[in-house]
Amino acid sequence: MNFLKKIILVLLFLFPITNSFAAMVTEVQNDDVENSTTTADFLTGIHFNKDGTKMFTLYQCNSEDSDNCYVNEYNLSTPFDISTKSYAGDDERCELDHGLDSQNRLADLEFSSDGMKLFTVHGDHVGDDADDDNIYRFDLTSPFDISTCTFNHKTTNLDSDTFQDGSDAGDFTEADPGGRNKNRAQGFEINEDGTKVFVVMMGAGTQNNRLLEYQLSTPYDLTTMTLITNAGINLTDLPTTNVMSIRFSANGKRLFGVDHNTHKVYQISLGSAYDTSSYTLDGIVNINSLTSDSVAEIRAISFNTNGLKLYIGNDRDDGTDNRIYEFDLVCPFNIITGKCPSITENSDRTGMAEAQIELAKRAITLSSNSALNRLKWIRRNKDKQNLSNQNVKLNFSNSMLSSLEALPISSFKKISTSKNKNDSNKNYFYWSEGSISLGRVGDTSIASTKEVHTNSLTFGYDRFTDDYGISGLAFRYGNDDVDVGTAGSNLDSNTYNITYYSTSPIKDDTKYVDKIFGIGKIRSDILTVLDGKNLTADRTGNQIYGTLKIKDEYKKDNFTLIPSGQFDFGHTILRGYKEAGTGAIEVEDQHVSTKNLRATMALVEDLSNDKYTLKRHGKLEYVANIDRSSNFKYTYVSDSSTKFNDTLHTGALHNLNGEIGFDIIFPEHYSIFVIYERNHAFGSGYTDNIYIALGYLPHKDTEYAFSINGSENLMSQFEIKKNINGYDLSFNLNDDLTNLGNDQEASINLKKAF
């Protein structure tokens, strides 16, 4: 098997696809990193702090005088943009004179994840004492403040059979003590939690170039380092000649190395994060084919935080003109065509994909809640003469309404305050509601934090049915604004929902069955910011949903206890879209399923008196989100050879909702309805919802009429009639709802029949 692997790798080397990576890697710029105050020579290490405002460079320091060995610091006015660098000054550099040995050949530069520890590796291959190969650790007093660096400790000599024999990378070979080409450590990397170390070792004489993997029993403590024998890579098999600096991707599943002699970069995929026991060579890229000028000797490699920028350190043959080349990548941590990684390796991209799924579910939940809140309000105040509750004017001035012409929203209904046993089932009541929802979904191992802001308006009408139930129709318009991560990614969406709702008594006036059925549309503007570049797209979707709720009421004195069980279901089809911009993806149609089981205990207290009607209420609800998965299928626009099908899990299985609110109805016929709701998703996040309705209950003999005409020009008619001393006073208002501000008519009429 190993022999076959070697044959395949050799064939890849002999017959490379020389132009396949051209579209994946683009040179942005290059800049020198020389300083007249520094006598150090070859550039061998590059590193950035996490936000890209600082860049650090290491030099080989091939000198008998260790006092000339430094790590330099540059400030970047634009994160990760090397053209905006400025040297921080001699006082801000790290002097590596503590603990270093003579004939220093320093290579690679690494920091701990918290920025409090600095590491470099020293390899020696010349002279009788060329057996001092060590990793050095320096500690800082504050994150990435290298001016405070102090030597802490180093490893025992790695150039020995103790630290090399038995590895899959190949055994240690003793060289001639007087010879030049002895074993030499010249590349180094440490994993995110400081429990593993990886060392590139140049072999003595004809010995292979090898990558060795070590375990640290105490994180970041180099004295606890032991060789992992069932891991490691014989780099000559790839094939390579002189690999130096190495870097892992952010998730540890990809390994990159630069070949000093051949000017090539190697990309290797690992079977598991930071585990070299199983690997595949993705491909090889010649840097000379990508740069505006010919490179000489590459010794350093680095990436920005999200992996969309690659940096290569180069020096000339004479050790002058140390230069860093900056490249843009089509997809994170990838330089090979057909090997783009999943978006789940980028937290902002994953967060944006999840935000779209959560939007679909949230639109269904909030639309259903508006209808359920209306039913609860009616039952709490069913003893009142009029159940109208009007707060906000319905605004149809939106282009999306043209798509709603086929929906059954056309109506003309009269609302009369007269209510008795003979005609109560003929009465229609109108209502409106405004709601504000604020929430936060915390970051996960694959997704960034999401800040959610939702505003909505709901207008509806309902009536009593022949079985003393209630049925109605509600139209909801919502605006969702979701900020993903901290780079500026945003999902801005408008949702439109038509919901039919009804409630019927089962056996008596205390047991009810609530039924909801609705349809909806979604229109979203997607902005994904990656490495300061904007990726934009538009997306639409259609929804269908329903709810079945069974509840009972137990009354004692002024208290009403209401237990209930509920099942929500829905299906959303989000249409495919194609981003515009560098690194864009093309997404296929996506299906989002909604299935919730709810168990609720609610309480209503009647505090009414002679002056007003007051009822306060609350609930505690458990929600099981039993369908949280949705498949996100896509390809990269610039790399369509690989199709992805990522299964994303949103929300939490277990959720707890709490609610408090109150109703007030004044004798002057004004009413106030307020609910505050906290939805807590265990291990995920929360949402705060506020529902507010301010209503007016008309006097006797006053009639309201409202109509919506779903013709080509969406027209509304609103009429108020009142009888005053035998005279009929009427007010009429006609609007073109597709073009508010024009085609408005108003009239007042006074008449009396003789």
Side-chain angles (χ1 to χ4, degrees), residues 165-230:
D165 274 2
S167 169
D168 289 348
D171 291 338
F172 168 78
T173 298
E174 185 72 47
D176 180 6
R180 173 177 173 82
N181 293 321
K182 298 183 178 182
N183 295 290
R184 180 175 74 240
Q186 55 186 33
F188 160 78
E189 178 73 298
I190 191 166
N191 69 340
E192 186 71 12
D193 63 5
T195 59
K196 279 190 176 182
V197 167
F198 303 83
V199 179
V200 175
M201 187 68 69
M202 170 62 77
T206 60
Q207 180 72 11
N208 293 335
N209 198 195
R210 295 164 295 143
L211 175 68
L212 303 168
E213 180 177 336
Y214 298 88
Q215 184 77 40
L216 299 182
S217 58
T218 301
Y220 300 111
D221 186 347
L222 302 174
T223 65
T224 66
M225 193 168 80
T226 56
L227 180 68
I228 300 176
T229 57
N230 62 341

Side-chain angles (χ1 to χ4, degrees), residues 354 358 439-445 447-451 681 683-686:
E354 290 183 350
E358 294 163 356
R440 183 180 187 273
V441 181
D443 60 344
T444 66
S445 58
S448 298
T449 299
K450 296 179 282 291
E451 300 288 343
S684 178
Y686 66 89

Side-chain angles (χ1 to χ4, degrees), residues 386-651:
N386 192 298
L387 297 178
S388 296
N389 187 4
Q390 184 70 20
N391 177 37
V392 291
K393 182 179 180 180
L394 184 62
N395 186 353
F396 284 113
S397 59
N398 192 288
S399 61
M400 274 296 295
L401 285 176
S402 60
S403 64
L404 302 175
E405 291 180 358
L407 300 177
I409 62 175
S410 181
S411 64
F412 183 82
K413 304 298 179 185
K414 285 189 175 181
I415 305 155
S416 175
T417 61
S418 61
K419 181 176 181 292
N420 55 57
K421 294 181 180 179
N422 296 323
D423 63 4
S424 62
N425 63 330
K426 298 179 181 180
N427 288 339
Y428 287 78
F429 309 102
Y430 61 95
W431 59 278
S432 63
E433 177 187 88
S435 69
I436 301 173
S437 177
L438 305 174
R440 183 180 187 273
V441 181
D443 60 344
T444 66
S445 58
I446 63 171
S448 298
T449 299
K450 296 179 282 291
E451 300 288 343
V452 183
H453 307 268
T454 303
N455 304 308
S456 66
L457 300 176
T458 304
F459 173 86
Y461 68 88
D462 42 48
R463 67 180 180 89
F464 284 101
T465 61
D466 293 336
D467 59 354
Y468 299 100
I470 298 168
S471 64
L473 197 66
F475 173 80
R476 177 183 178 273
Y477 164 74
N479 177 259
D480 283 68
D481 188 80
V482 183
D483 294 324
V484 180
T486 58
S489 297
N490 177 265
L491 179 69
D492 187 9
S493 306
N494 292 327
T495 58
Y496 311 82
N497 296 84
I498 299 291
T499 305
Y500 168 81
Y501 58 93
S502 69
T503 185
S504 305
I506 300 176
K507 187 176 180 181
D508 50 40
D509 198 31
T510 64
K511 297 180 175 64
Y512 291 89
V513 176
D514 296 343
K515 299 175 287 294
I516 288 176
F517 178 80
I519 55 178
K521 292 185 74 71
I522 298 174
R523 174 171 289 174
S524 300
D525 294 325
I526 303 171
L527 170 63
T528 304
V529 181
L530 298 178
D531 195 35
K533 299 180 176 62
N534 294 343
L535 301 173
T536 59
D538 299 325
R539 193 176 203 185
T540 61
N542 299 311
Q543 297 185 303
I544 187 171
Y545 54 92
T547 290
L548 181 65
K549 183 175 184 178
I550 301 175
K551 60 171 52 180
D552 200 354
E553 295 182 0
Y554 300 92
K555 297 182 179 180
K556 185 175 181 176
D557 299 328
N558 295 331
F559 293 92
T560 303
L561 191 66
I562 309 171
S564 63
Q566 180 176 329
F567 176 63
D568 307 319
F569 60 92
H571 191 81
T572 303
I573 300 177
L574 297 174
R575 300 304 181 188
Y577 66 94
K578 184 177 181 179
E579 292 178 336
T582 304
I585 59 174
E586 184 171 3
V587 182
E588 299 180 14
D589 288 357
Q590 182 179 3
H591 295 262
V592 180
S593 179
T594 299
K595 294 179 184 167
N596 297 318
L597 287 174
R598 302 174 185 263
T600 308
M601 184 64 69
L603 180 67
V604 179
E605 183 183 11
D606 192 343
L607 301 175
S608 304
N609 55 36
D610 295 336
K611 296 182 179 180
Y612 53 79
T613 300
L614 172 61
K615 294 182 180 181
R616 60 184 181 186
H617 43 85
K619 76 172 185 181
L620 188 64
E621 179 179 62
Y622 167 77
V623 183
N625 182 2
I626 58 179
D627 195 344
R628 299 181 294 137
S629 301
S630 179
N631 288 340
F632 194 75
K633 300 178 182 180
Y634 61 96
T635 61
Y636 284 86
V637 175
S638 300
D639 186 21
S640 60
S641 56
T642 303
K643 295 184 179 295
F644 295 88
N645 186 1
D646 293 333
T647 300
L648 302 178
H649 303 276
T650 58

Side-chain angles (χ1 to χ4, degrees), residues 238-278:
L238 297 184
T240 66
T241 61
N242 191 4
V243 173
M244 299 194 70
S245 180
I246 57 174
R247 278 293 180 271
F248 283 95
S249 62
N251 65 358
K253 291 185 176 182
R254 285 193 170 171
L255 174 66
F256 300 83
V258 293
D259 193 306
H260 171 58
N261 294 343
T262 64
H263 315 138
K264 293 176 180 177
V265 180
Y266 295 79
Q267 177 175 307
I268 300 169
S269 289
L270 306 180
S272 301
Y274 299 106
D275 182 0
T276 59
S277 63
S278 175

Side-chain angles (χ1 to χ4, degrees), residues 265-306:
V265 180
Y266 295 79
Q267 177 175 307
I268 300 169
S269 289
L270 306 180
S272 301
Y274 299 106
D275 182 0
T276 59
S277 63
S278 175
Y279 67 92
T280 302
L281 176 65
D282 294 334
I284 305 169
V285 172
N286 192 320
I287 292 298
N288 269 328
S289 65
L290 303 176
T291 56
S292 54
D293 58 351
S294 178
V295 299
E297 296 181 339
I298 57 176
R299 302 175 188 265
I301 184 172
S302 189
F303 293 87
N304 69 339
T305 305
N306 61 27

Side-chain angles (χ1 to χ4, degrees), residues 102-154:
S102 62
Q103 290 290 342
N104 294 292
R105 296 177 63 94
L106 300 179
D108 247 342
L109 179 64
E110 183 61 87
F111 287 80
S112 60
S113 57
D114 60 2
M116 297 295 292
K117 302 174 184 63
L118 180 153
F119 302 87
T120 187
V121 66
H122 162 246
D124 215 344
H125 74 306
V126 179
D128 294 338
D129 297 326
D131 60 353
D132 192 10
D133 294 80
N134 305 97
I135 303 171
Y136 293 85
R137 169 179 152 181
F138 297 82
D139 290 348
L140 315 180
T141 59
S142 58
F144 297 102
D145 183 2
I146 63 172
S147 66
T148 64
C149 70
T150 56
F151 174 74
N152 187 284
H153 67 276
K154 65 178 181 178

